[in-house]
Amino acid sequence: MDAEAEAWSRFIEQCVLKRKSVEDFQSLARVHSSITPITSSNLAKVVLKNRSPSSPFVHPLVPRYIERLVLLNRLEIHDVLLTLLECSPYASEIWKPSNSTGASDNELNRPELIGYAETTKDLQLDILHRIARLFANGQGPQKTRLWKTIRAISQWMTNIANQGVASHHSEGVIQVAIGTIFSVLAGCESGSYALATSFPEDIRKALGRSLSLFIPVLSQASPPLAAELESIQKQYDIFDGELTGVLEETLMQGVDIAGLQFQNSVSDGPTLTSRAGLYIYLNAVLVGRSLGHDTVLINYLNARYKGDVPNLVIDLITASFDVLSSAMYRNEPSQTMFLFRSYLVNKLPLLLTIFSTSMFPPFTIQWCIAEALGHVDPQAFLSLSQMFGPLSGSGMLSDVRQEFLFACALHDLIAEESIGHLLGETPMQTLPAGGRYSKEDLVNQCTANPERVEDLVGELDRLEGNSGAIAGAVVEIIQTLCATKETISLKALSGALSRRHQAPDVLLLFHTTFSILQPLCHLLDNWRYDADQGECQPVYDEFGSILLFILTLKSRYDLDSYDLGITDGNSFITRLVERGWIPKPPEDMSELENQHFSGWITSLYETEGISDEAMSTCSPQDFYLLVPTIFSQSLLACQNGVIDLNTLRGGFEYLLEPFLLPSLVSGLTWLTTHLWEAQGDTTILIQVIRTLVMPNSISGEAQAMHSTVLSVVAESLEHALRERRRVEPSRSEIDPIIDILKPHLSFKRNGASYHTELETWTSAPGGLIASIRNIFQSLILWATAPEMNMTTPTYTHRQLLAGVKILGARHIIHGLVEEVKLQTEHNSGDLALEIATAMICAPTTAEPNMLPALLDVNGVPIPAPKARLSLVDALKLELDDSLGRVGGGNHHTMAKDFDRGTVETIVRLHRKVEAQLAGAPQVMPNMMPGMNLDAEAAVVAAGTATGRVQLDLGGTGTIDDVLDAAGDEMLGENDFLGLDTGEGMDLG
């Protein structure tokens, strides 16, 4: 690195470390540039390439500094774009950070450099958004520099097109950002003039080639934007004649002309936004772990309502109440009812706050709330006076309306004085005494008093409207404690979250599993165990508490390694969650593993308690991977008479100590598997299970952990015990174990159906597919006249998920198509299409493109594990097969296999689904600690719905405020890290 680049690198590093405001940075940069001149291209490389490779986090000041350097004319936009391209996955070789400064590895891994990021997708996206805003504000380059910028954009388009269609939605976001920049450039005065007049032929030819290659790729991520770019290309005649002919010839090869003609002959009816559609979607969002990522949900709503914000808000509120009332009629468990209420009270007001910025008089949030409350089921949401009437029901949801209204008042959506008018009676509660929480304030409180964190976890159960701020603070604290390796504090926080099973449900209303679990998994994977660091038991205690929290969430939500945010396929956590219950035969163990095994066997069965020697010579990671082998070999030794049953049980009782208790997850999992496989006498096996499930004595500290362990293993263990009881009905000792496990059987929230539900659905005439069609018909009747029948249908998305899992996605699509066709014949075709579209487009973990992306440290998307065929995929296959019958075969074959009504239904349904999915821009990745663009993305998405994006980009309104606020908010995390906040700067 030359002297000028090194000086600028040090200057920017100091500005970030001291968290200089952009105004201060601009003044300092003006002075520094006069002292140390540097070319624009070199400065771009300094800012974007020479970052610390030690941290995957993106500091929000970096893109803001880049924007100011552009405004100072120290950076050219084309240099930023080209350097950004070199650092992206679209470059010929992805840039890898290197230690080019001569600094030692220890220096590069200093904690205070945690904010310096590699060029990730988040950083690219932020910078590209700011470039678009500069063009929209008329601050883009002019004349010669404008042509260089167009060349850079053209290079981006070409590289993206060469890579092909986005394999994940995070790639689609970058494609949309590049397309937006060109669209905004073409729409501004200087850009439109340049494209229309003084256009150098070589640039026109290169841009024409890039657009022709890029637009088909972009159409997969955003068809509307692709159509806009195609319109610009035609308007200014930006074509490469040689390429156009080749493309046309290539595109026509293999085209099914008859199929295209048939599709063109199928007309579409009006697009409806029924009450049932949003009700189905929210059911899917909350059926297991929350899939209501803000950007996904808001984009879905934008695609449905296309700028009609008042009706969007009314329907969103109404559907949220409908989901809750339907759950009550289905007698859902208390934990499910709590989650739905928490969504209504804690999450919904935050979403309404976003949409309130796009509403204008006479339409207000208060008016929308009044309209929505007039639509909710009065029998489910009784007023306080009705609770004591002769016809009152259970009154279970009687407080929900006022809880929701007070939460709205807390967020300044309505006045507190208006609540009585909206309820029609005097409210019985007030705003929370502590007022509206701020995430930053909560983080500062926890910095001053670490015990405050556990109090906050307890407050997640409250229905007051503050859970969003609490969740944000808890997640940020987890990330920060992991970064600083404060394992004692993490032990306490992990224990608090493990004990309160509903607390993670609330966290996932606002955050992804990545943001919560990835830092914890990274910490345990890289846990450095030093045998000389002192007493070993506390180390095992801290490690085990954190691990138990990870295993608790993995079990509760049925997560895999991808959901945990793990990028290393051979890491400790990966091996534990994927193979952690499989024992190793002695002959396959290494010498070190044999030593560890011998040490633990000796401690369990030959000494008075677990010795420090066993723990000091075996890291916690090695111990937990060894647990299944310890169990299998111990049981074998007892069966062969090497040790007696009492000795075996006594040894296993040591594992009930708090610092070893999480190992029972692997141990009981292996025992469950062995119980399924066991033949002959199972007395020893069942006695061991009884010892671990029903211990004779257990310390008070260990009781809560033991209960959590039972929740993790209860479902599979209870199933195995019931099967063993069926095989050996004389074994009376099984029933008490099952009774202990029963309270834990409702622990999981993974969208799986209860066995009683499955029996009801499958025993109906026609089986499961007929029951799905029956509920479909109920939704049609309800959506046709909801004011006549306000009781919501007892629909649960578990029914559709069960159908896909048991019958397969294509079988379900066949049933939906037949039902839509039938409803079309009865003049309800448009409504049936809307309901079927909602079912198919509902978010699910089986459709990873509907969820946020997991990125590696270079910002490259990691492919999601291949899921079973989704409903979207099955519909596409069905369309291809149907159109093949239209254009293939002879006349007699077509007459036999071709049903015009069915194929027309498939074509219309596929169009609706494609329009719904295409109308929502792909979701931005949001998984790295310290980088949370969800608020900004949500406001941009909300602006899209009202056509205000151009206005926001062109002024200093909502989007600017949010960008600045988001940056300031993310800066707060470094205060928690205890970094120096002094104003002095050493520029060397």
Side-chain angles (χ1 to χ4, degrees), residues 573-592:
I573 293 293
T574 302
R575 286 182 289 161
L576 186 68
V577 300
E578 293 183 357
R579 305 179 295 276
W581 66 91
I582 303 175
K584 268 192 173 184
E587 61 272 16
D588 291 345
M589 289 196 293
S590 66
E591 182 178 349
L592 182 60

Side-chain angles (χ1 to χ4, degrees), residues 78 81-82 135 141-155 182 185 190-204 206-207 238:
H78 64 268
L81 287 171
L82 290 175
F135 279 114
Q142 306 293 323
K143 297 181 180 178
T144 305
R145 292 185 299 163
L146 180 62
W147 297 127
K148 291 182 179 180
T149 301
I150 291 176
R151 278 186 182 276
I153 296 172
S154 175
Q155 188 63 54
F182 183 73
L185 182 151
S190 60
S192 60
Y193 178 79
L195 294 176
T197 55
S198 54
F199 207 154
E201 187 59 32
D202 60 329
I203 297 179
R204 177 185 295 276
L207 181 60
I238 311 172

Side-chain angles (χ1 to χ4, degrees), residues 262-263 808-818 840 869-886 897-899 902-907 909-910:
F262 181 85
Q263 290 188 75
R810 294 199 72 168
H811 197 154
I812 300 301
I813 288 295
H814 291 162
L816 293 178
V817 167
E818 286 300 314
I840 294 170
L869 190 71
S870 69
L871 290 174
V872 175
D873 297 329
L875 179 61
K876 181 65 170 66
L877 291 174
E878 202 63 31
L879 177 72
D880 292 343
D881 289 350
S882 299
L883 293 179
R885 289 195 294 272
V886 172
D897 296 338
F898 177 63
D899 181 344
T902 299
V903 180
E904 285 183 350
T905 300
I906 293 171
V907 169
L909 182 56
H910 184 261

